[in-house]
Amino acid sequence: MYKEEVIDLYSMIRKRNPLIHQITNAVTVNDCANVTLAVGASPVMASSIEEVEEMVKLADALVINIGTLQSGVFKAMILAGKAANKIGIPIIFDPVGVGATTFRKEKAKEFLRQVDVAVIRGNASEVDSLMGGASTTRGVDAGVVEISLKELAVKTAVSYSCVVVISGQIDTISNGTETIQITNGDFWLKSITGTGCMSTSLIGCFIGITKDYFLAAIAGTSLMGLAGEKAKKRLQEDEGIGTYKVKLMDEIFIMNGDTWKEEVQIHES
Ligand SMILES: Nc1ncnc2c1ncn2[C@@H]1O[C@H](COP(=O)(O)OP(=O)(O)O)[C@@H](O)[C@H]1O
Ligand SMILES: Cc1ncsc1CCOP(=O)(O)O
Ligand SMILES: [Mg+2]
């Protein structure tokens, strides 16, 4: 199930070349733009209040990432989000580090109160924190989460009427009724900053070409995991995280439906 539809997305995106407006963080903005190009979409990174409502109208999807949140940018996020809602442009939200500070938690909840999103993607402790759980994010990295990932994903999806992706060693994706888990990936994906942000941008690319946001989340999430796995296998003994990141980008760029169908590990619950 899902595999044939996801393969169609991989070929469709290069034909459609969707424009993805991204209001994201200063740490990984360049990587998110490049991974958007690598998969066949076009990025535009614009975050000033003077232009975001105009810019988002040109786009096929909007990516909101609070990694280096500031009050002015937050105002722009709300303006862009409301403008996108008005004309039906889908939004993915990445609550980076939401469990780390009161500021992030308050603004993440305020955003989700004012704006309807198609997808929320975060690591386990970010999603648990968003739902009032006890876990704390250590900066932007996942901490320990006690509850079942599937339960957390379903609960969050129902609570925000959207698709939820909880990333980690196992990626869990739910729309509130269907839940799947993807076991592709490599621990080295945690060794470079931005693989979560880049996953969010990849999902943002796919929601720009399909209204099936569950499928788009599978396509984007599994692409990062599988590329991460394949990049690690290509590493030589004397190569480290710098080469790994280059190979990761290459694997995302060269990924095709046949390879993906062969090697993706999707587990339906
Ligand atoms: N322990 C792990 N083993 C394998 N892959 C992992 C592991 N932790 C995270 N990943 C992968 O790394 C990428 C980023 O996930 P994660 O680190 O959870 O997000 P974030 O960077 O937002 O905290 C995802 O593709 C995820 O599947
Ligand atoms: C280190 C850091 N600090 C603020 S945003 C950021 C990057 C987070 O990227 P990811 O969520 O993909 O790990
Ligand atoms: Mg993250």
Side-chain angles (χ1 to χ4, degrees):
M1 201 169 166
Y2 310 117
K3 284 196 173 183
E4 293 313 322
E5 297 96 315
V6 172
I7 290 171
D8 290 344
L9 292 183
Y10 285 145
S11 54
M12 192 197 299
I13 196 159
R14 294 192 187 280
K15 294 185 190 102
R16 297 271 289 277
N17 183 235
L19 179 66
I20 315 301
H21 179 188
Q22 310 190 39
I23 304 179
T24 187
N25 67 70
V27 177
T28 62
V29 55
N30 178 265
D31 294 328
C32 291
N34 278 319
V35 81
T36 298
L37 288 165
V39 77
S42 288
V44 57
M45 314 325 244
S47 53
S48 59
I49 50 174
E50 292 80 3
E51 69 169 357
V52 288
E53 289 169 290
E54 215 176 325
M55 187 65 83
V56 75
K57 288 175 183 149
L58 306 175
D60 298 288
L62 174 64
V63 174
I64 301 287
N65 175 310
I66 64 167
T68 47
L69 190 62
Q70 296 176 7
S71 303
V73 175
F74 181 72
K75 289 192 181 90
M77 290 173 171
I78 294 287
L79 288 174
K82 286 184 170 177
N85 281 169
K86 207 176 282 178
I87 52 181
I89 292 171
I91 302 169
I92 180 166
F93 180 62
D94 190 331
V96 181
V98 67
T101 67
T102 310
F103 175 60
R104 286 169 190 254
K105 187 170 278 189
E106 282 174 359
K107 291 304 179 188
K109 286 176 179 275
E110 185 181 339
F111 183 81
L112 290 168
R113 274 197 304 274
Q114 297 199 41
V115 177
D116 294 329
V117 299
V119 185
I120 294 172
R121 191 220 69 90
N123 64 46
S125 46
E126 288 164 344
V127 177
D128 189 43
S129 303
L130 203 56
M131 293 300 287
S135 64
T136 51
T137 36
R138 184 170 166 272
V140 294
D141 293 328
V144 177
V145 174
E146 297 305 327
I147 80 162
S148 134
L149 295 174
K150 286 184 185 174
E151 280 172 28
L152 178 59
V154 172
K155 192 172 78 168
T156 312
V158 169
S159 172
Y160 288 106
S161 308
C162 70
V163 172
V164 171
V165 181
I166 301 178
S167 58
Q169 184 165 4
I170 295 173
D171 293 322
T172 305
I173 304 175
S174 180
N175 58 14
T177 46
E178 298 164 279
T179 303
I180 61 109
Q181 291 191 308
I182 297 167
T183 50
N184 297 99
D186 189 280
F187 188 74
W188 273 49
L189 282 166
K190 291 183 70 64
S191 67
I192 49 176
T193 191
T195 51
C197 298
M198 287 187 262
S199 302
T200 295
S201 292
L202 285 171
I203 297 167
C205 294
F206 289 109
I207 63 173
I209 60 166
T210 178
K211 292 282 178 228
D212 188 337
Y213 303 136
F214 186 64
L215 212 57
I218 295 173
T221 303
S222 60
L223 179 50
M224 177 57 76
L226 187 51
E229 211 172 89
K230 294 171 73 64
K232 179 71 177 313
K233 285 177 187 156
R234 285 175 48 194
L235 273 191
Q236 305 299 320
E237 273 302 300
D238 62 348
E239 291 174 338
I241 57 168
T243 314
Y244 180 65
K245 182 176 171 184
V246 169
K247 290 185 190 287
L248 177 65
M249 278 293 188
D250 283 349
E251 286 296 338
I252 290 168
F253 178 69
I254 63 178
M255 185 69 68
N256 62 59
D258 294 338
T259 308
W260 181 88
K261 187 175 178 180
E262 268 301 299
E263 300 182 36
V264 73
Q265 301 288 327
I266 299 178
H267 308 270
E268 297 168 45
S269 50

